[in-house]
Amino acid sequence: MPDQNGFMTIGETRQEFADAEARLLARPRSAYEIAGDLTPEEASATEAGYAALDTATDALAAARAELADANAAGEGWREPSAREAARIDDAERALRRATAAEEEARLDSNALQTRIGRARQERRNGADR
């Protein structure tokens, strides 16, 4: 109990910490929460998100390589031919699409991790009640 100045004694502080620890240890927790692991649903969603991100990243790298190849195909001292210009335009469009897809995959992955974090926090908060 705090004294008139609002301070607790050392013994009271220790007892408060001991009581809080006892409450934490007494709460029901799942095996996943105890181990700090993801639930099977969260793990599969995370794996799917990472796979989508890997696919998008690979597609972006391929689009960059195609654009570099298309730019290198022409000779630097003359204007590109109509076919070369069309190939460069196609490669630039593919790069824009791949960049947008990769960004979308990153945003989805971040949103998934945020949802998982919130769900874990809700499980912890629900167990404390």
Side-chain angles (χ1 to χ4, degrees):
M1 187 76 174
D3 64 10
Q4 64 186 5
N5 294 325
F7 297 104
M8 296 190 317
T9 64
I10 294 172
E12 291 170 337
T13 303
R14 285 187 186 136
Q15 185 60 44
E16 183 179 331
F17 287 143
D19 292 344
E21 184 177 12
R23 282 192 308 273
L24 284 174
L25 293 175
R27 68 183 180 157
R29 298 187 303 167
S30 68
Y32 299 109
E33 188 177 354
I34 291 170
D37 294 337
L38 299 174
T39 64
E41 297 84 21
E42 292 169 345
S44 65
T46 300
E47 287 299 320
Y50 286 156
L53 183 58
D54 287 344
T55 301
T57 303
D58 292 344
L60 180 60
R64 285 182 177 149
E66 174 60 28
L67 180 60
D69 187 44
N71 283 326
E75 298 169 0
W77 54 269
R78 66 173 177 84
E79 287 291 316
S81 68
R83 187 183 338 173
E84 290 170 342
R87 182 177 174 207
I88 291 170
D89 288 343
D90 289 344
E92 287 174 346
R93 278 193 297 276
L95 179 62
R96 284 193 298 275
R97 284 192 305 271
T99 301
E102 195 257 354
E103 183 177 313
E104 185 70 25
R106 285 194 187 282
L107 290 173
D108 289 346
S109 179
N110 289 341
L112 173 66
Q113 294 305 319
T114 301
R115 284 193 308 272
I116 289 172
R118 285 183 183 150
R120 294 176 90 179
Q121 185 65 42
E122 285 297 317
R123 286 195 298 267
R124 283 193 296 272
N125 290 345
D128 289 341
R129 293 181 186 141

